[in-house]
Amino acid sequence: MKDTIISNKKLTLFNLNKWSILPEKEQIDKPKINVDRDLRYIHNQRVKGVCWPYVTASKFGWIIKSPLDVAIEPVEEYQVKCDSDELEDLGGMLDVNFWIKRGDVFLGIKPDGWFRVHQARINGVWQNLFIPNGEKTFEWRLGWGIECPEDYVLMILPIPNQKKIKVHPGILTNSSLKKFNESGLGMSLAFEPIEKATIKRNEPIAKIIAFPQEALATELQVTDKEEN
């Protein structure tokens, strides 16, 4: 279990499964700037790594890392509304072998082997770690839990250097986090595979930040600036 203090508030991260990896603060290495006075014009000294707003924003929040090696690839998806006994015929027409019920529709996904092969034993039952969500996206169950103050929310964000997947931003409340914790599967991440690639264990995949829930009610007011 790992506690992170937010002002006078406390955010608690904890492993629900041995294979999970808890989020960590991003490590920003200050770049070394070489100044050669024998060069006349070109001196690249203004770099983002020493810019206070950039460094502060990069250090804000925690980096989510992949808990496993997973070979991902983009998928084709069909959303159909029918009786379950019609899926075999539809599968033959569309060359789809995998169907899953989500809401009022069935999702047909191909290729399907890469996400179906990843399962974990949760409370004695094998559970899938990747669940199709629709529009070629997946829910990735990460295996760790998190508790935050009642008046705070968590926001999931993509990170700039992760090009293999497209992470979809999302805001989670305390009640949502409790459901993740109680399931034993922990926090989940919504993403879309962008290219055929392998994401390695410990590879950064996304970021979470915490902020007061009242910030969601912030309104924008636009006024004309009076001329003096």
Side-chain angles (χ1 to χ4, degrees):
M1 183 176 293
K2 179 165 60 176
D3 291 347
T4 301
I5 305 299
I6 308 174
S7 183
N8 61 338
K9 303 288 187 177
K10 185 168 69 171
L11 193 74
T12 303
L13 303 169
F14 50 91
N15 283 311
L16 292 169
N17 301 275
K18 293 180 180 179
W19 47 266
S20 65
I21 298 177
L22 295 180
E24 298 177 351
K25 279 287 185 182
E26 184 173 5
Q27 299 299 316
I28 305 295
D29 295 325
K30 188 175 181 180
K32 183 179 179 181
I33 299 174
N34 294 317
V35 178
D36 192 334
R37 301 191 183 280
D38 292 330
L39 296 176
R40 186 174 186 181
Y41 290 118
I42 305 300
H43 289 263
N44 295 324
Q45 298 180 38
R46 301 290 298 171
V47 296
K48 64 184 179 181
V50 295
C51 177
W52 181 84
Y54 171 83
V55 174
T56 303
S58 297
K59 290 183 177 180
F60 185 50
W62 300 267
I63 297 297
I64 299 174
K65 297 183 176 183
S66 173
L68 68 158
D69 293 348
V70 52
I72 63 167
E73 57 182 301
V75 298
E76 294 182 44
E77 176 188 286
Y78 299 93
Q79 296 192 20
V80 301
K81 194 169 184 179
C82 65
D83 294 329
S84 58
D85 57 6
E86 298 177 274
L87 292 177
E88 186 175 351
D89 287 340
L90 282 170
M93 298 177 199
L94 301 171
D95 190 27
V96 172
N97 296 316
F98 175 82
W99 297 93
I100 184 171
K101 185 77 179 290
R102 297 307 305 263
D104 293 333
V105 300
F106 288 98
L107 304 180
I109 311 290
K110 67 177 184 179
D112 58 285
W114 69 264
F115 64 87
R116 295 177 65 187
V117 75
H118 293 286
Q119 299 183 354
R121 193 191 304 274
I122 308 295
N123 298 324
V125 179
W126 292 110
Q127 299 275 4
N128 293 314
L129 297 182
F130 295 92
I131 305 294
N133 257 343
E135 291 196 321
K136 303 179 182 181
T137 67
F138 293 83
E139 176 185 344
W140 187 346
R141 295 157 160 178
L142 299 167
W144 49 266
I146 186 166
E147 293 177 351
C148 73
E150 294 267 347
D151 55 345
Y152 270 68
V153 294
L154 288 185
M155 187 172 190
I156 300 175
L157 294 169
I159 53 176
N161 55 348
Q162 180 50 264
K163 308 299 184 184
K164 302 172 186 177
I165 59 175
K166 179 180 179 180
V167 171
H168 293 264
I171 289 180
L172 299 169
T173 63
N174 189 270
S175 59
S176 298
L177 297 175
K178 286 181 179 178
K179 291 179 182 177
F180 287 142
N181 298 341
E182 292 168 358
S183 71
L185 291 160
M187 173 71 79
S188 70
L189 178 75
F191 79 99
E192 177 184 351
I194 298 300
E195 61 181 46
K196 189 172 183 177
T198 297
I199 295 178
K200 303 295 290 184
R201 177 175 166 83
N202 272 311
E203 182 175 339
I205 52 176
K207 186 174 189 175
I208 54 171
I209 62 174
F211 56 88
Q213 192 166 355
E214 61 186 16
L216 297 176
T218 302
E219 295 183 3
L220 177 65
Q221 182 177 359
V222 181
T223 61
D224 293 328
K225 184 177 180 181
E226 294 183 2
E227 294 185 1
N228 294 328

